[in-house]
Amino acid sequence: MRRVEILGQERRRRWREEDKLAIVMSVGVSGATITEIAHRHDVTRQQIYAWRSELKKKGLLPVSSNALFIPVDLNAVQNDAPELRESCSGMIELRLICGRTLRFESSVAPDVLTQIIRAVEAA
């Protein structure tokens, strides 16, 4: 029979919900990304995503007061100025406060974009 000896400290740590919440909430503060926060606290990005999901399910993650929806009438641009629409086509980058970035073409239908944003924010 072989004998196995494990050296070093156990890597599994226990995190209090208060600590998890503080780490999740620090994403986006002063532009900090999830990668930077994960590195700072020596956890994986996936762990932060899992904590965010867990905290949302428990109702402990407050709704961002910085969230802002701006109404845009795309029909006005499409109908009144077709030449403007053509000159404005290209890629759009939307940076969310959670640290995620969405990149999409300006021709994406508004209802499709709305569904994508809701799916990303629910994750």
Side-chain angles (χ1 to χ4, degrees):
M1 185 186 277
R2 289 185 182 175
R3 181 178 165 175
V4 176
E5 186 175 344
I6 300 174
L7 302 174
Q9 294 181 348
E10 180 183 359
R11 287 289 299 165
R12 186 173 188 97
R13 294 175 282 176
R14 306 284 181 215
W15 294 88
R16 297 178 312 167
E17 284 189 344
E18 297 83 21
D19 296 331
K20 292 178 188 179
L21 184 60
I23 290 171
V24 169
M25 293 297 293
S26 65
V27 173
V29 174
S30 299
T33 64
I34 286 188
T35 301
E36 293 168 342
I37 298 299
H39 182 70
R40 187 180 305 160
H41 295 282
D42 195 27
V43 296
T44 65
R45 291 175 31 231
Q46 292 77 11
Q47 187 65 60
I48 294 176
Y49 287 123
W51 287 345
R52 182 178 5 190
S53 178
E54 171 190 328
L55 293 167
K56 279 183 182 179
K57 287 178 184 173
K58 291 181 178 180
L60 299 175
L61 191 61
V63 176
S64 173
S65 61
N66 296 332
L68 178 64
F69 289 95
I70 302 172
V72 176
D73 186 2
L74 294 177
N75 292 327
V77 173
Q78 291 172 1
N79 295 333
D80 294 341
E83 67 283 349
L84 177 62
R85 184 171 181 239
E86 289 175 15
S87 68
C88 293
S89 65
M91 293 298 292
I92 297 175
E93 181 173 292
L94 178 63
R95 294 184 186 199
L96 304 177
I97 194 161
C98 64
R100 293 182 179 169
T101 302
L102 299 177
R103 290 184 190 96
F104 50 90
E105 292 201 21
S106 60
S107 60
V108 172
D111 57 328
V112 172
L113 184 57
T114 301
Q115 290 175 348
I116 292 170
I117 292 171
R118 286 183 179 154
V120 168
E121 290 189 344

